[in-house]
């Protein structure tokens, strides 16, 4: 057993190199973190049967910045615990700064009976501000819409990993956020507009994006992530009913 303090990046490196990486579909392979964290670690390494190695650890976040992948939103000032073992990992109600407000994040590896590969799902519930959305440059066209927005709104987000690539879904009723745009996109703060934003990883390093905002806006497009900057391959846009 060991216990100590050190860079969060080093703690993530231990998790990536341990058997937990395979059990979680390498969901943490692209995770990055900064700042100091506390690590408790227990290793069982049988010399005669190294394939049966076991690891049990816990990382305590002390206001760290964390990003699970390049395509997932940054989690700022994270405080709470992440545990990991040879069978998976769990995020224990970590409080973070996300989309301009405070959010509660939980989840980890969820194994469905009868399925050989477990799901890795992280969920967040919080409040997004117009300023926070303006900073999400990878979530087009939300940053452009947020340039004309004010206020804040509650949301739920789900990040699910498939082969280390995240699928992201964000839903909100947008109550509390106003949009100063021409019709049909003009919205008062007390109006409820169901929003659903989804990004999904596709084969050959492609991504599919969709955004629906009530009956006012529907957008779908596919992007080639191999290009720099990423290249839009196809898409469709609808305004109004």
């Amino acid at each position: 057993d060991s216990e100590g303090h050190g860079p969060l990046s080093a703690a993530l490196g231990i998790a990536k190199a341990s058997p937990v990486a395979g059990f979680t579909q390498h969901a943490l392979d692209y995770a990055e973190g900064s700042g100091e964290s506390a690590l408790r670690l227990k290793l069982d390494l049988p010399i005669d049967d190294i394939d049966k190695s076991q690891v049990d650890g816990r990382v305590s976040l002390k206001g760290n910045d964390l990003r699970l992948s390049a395509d997932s939103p940054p989690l700022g000032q994270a405080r709470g615990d992440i545990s990991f073992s040879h069978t998976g990992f769990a995020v224990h109600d970590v409080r973070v700064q996300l989309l301009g407000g405070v959010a509660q994040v939980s989840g980890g590896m969820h194994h469905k009976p009868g399925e050989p590969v477990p799901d890795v799902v992280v969920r967040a519930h919080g409040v997004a501000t117009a300023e926070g959305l303006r900073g999400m440059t990878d979530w087009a066209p939300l940053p452009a819409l947020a340039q004309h927005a004010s206020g804040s709104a509650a949301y739920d987000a789900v990040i699910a990993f498939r082969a280390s690539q995240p699928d992201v879904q964000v839903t909100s009723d947008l109550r509390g956020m106003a949009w100063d745009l021409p019709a049909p996109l003009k919205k008062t703060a007390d109006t409820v507009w169901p929003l659903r934003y989804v990004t999904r990883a596709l084969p050959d390093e492609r991504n599919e994006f969709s955004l629906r905002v009530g009956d006012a806006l529907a957008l779908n497009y596919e992007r080639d992530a191999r290009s720099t900057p990423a290249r839009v391959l196809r898409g469709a846009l609808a305004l109004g009913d």
Side-chain angles (χ1 to χ4, degrees):
D1 295 9
S2 63
E3 185 173 339
H5 293 76
L8 175 59
S9 57
L12 289 171
I14 293 174
K16 295 175 188 179
S18 74
V20 70
F23 279 98
T24 61
Q25 305 180 65
H26 297 271
L28 298 178
D29 279 8
Y30 300 101
E32 297 180 349
S34 61
E36 294 290 303
S37 64
L39 173 65
R40 296 192 295 275
L41 183 64
K42 179 180 179 181
L43 293 174
D44 183 7
L45 305 173
I47 297 176
D48 296 333
D49 198 351
I50 199 66
D51 289 338
K52 293 184 178 180
S53 300
Q54 296 185 0
V55 59
D56 185 15
R58 181 176 291 260
V59 177
S60 295
L61 303 173
K62 309 292 185 181
N64 303 84
D65 292 335
L66 176 66
R67 194 163 194 161
L68 297 178
S69 74
D71 293 327
S72 60
L75 310 176
Q77 301 178 34
R79 294 186 178 275
D81 290 343
I82 300 176
S83 62
F84 60 92
S85 72
H86 58 286
T87 60
F89 80 101
V91 180
H92 302 277
D93 293 327
V94 174
R95 290 177 61 86
V96 302
Q97 288 288 328
L98 177 61
L99 303 182
V102 177
Q104 198 87 7
V105 179
S106 61
M109 188 184 75
H110 174 61
H111 180 64
K112 295 180 179 178
E115 294 189 3
V117 180
D119 292 333
V120 178
V121 179
V122 177
R123 302 177 184 276
H125 176 74
V127 174
T129 66
E131 182 179 359
L133 291 176
R134 286 194 284 270
M136 297 302 299
T137 55
D138 293 334
W139 286 19
L142 281 178
L145 293 173
Q147 292 290 340
H148 307 277
S150 59
S152 60
Y155 69 90
D156 290 288
V158 179
I159 304 174
F161 288 85
R162 298 184 301 167
S164 80
Q165 297 300 315
D167 294 344
V168 179
Q169 175 178 291
V170 180
T171 56
S172 172
D173 65 7
L174 292 181
R175 186 190 298 272
M177 186 174 292
W179 289 5
D180 186 14
L181 288 164
L185 295 177
K186 189 173 184 63
K187 177 188 177 302
T188 61
D190 58 350
T191 303
V192 172
W193 275 7
L195 175 145
R196 186 172 185 266
Y197 179 81
V198 177
T199 69
R200 187 167 66 92
L202 299 174
D204 301 324
E205 297 186 54
R206 292 174 296 126
N207 302 96
E208 182 180 63
F209 297 78
S210 67
L211 171 66
R212 187 169 187 90
V213 183
D215 295 325
L217 172 67
L219 171 66
N220 296 274
Y221 66 94
E222 185 180 316
R223 189 178 69 171
D224 184 353
R226 292 171 296 185
S227 305
T228 304
R231 181 167 59 95
V232 175
L233 300 175
R234 60 186 62 87
L237 170 67
L239 289 173
D241 296 337

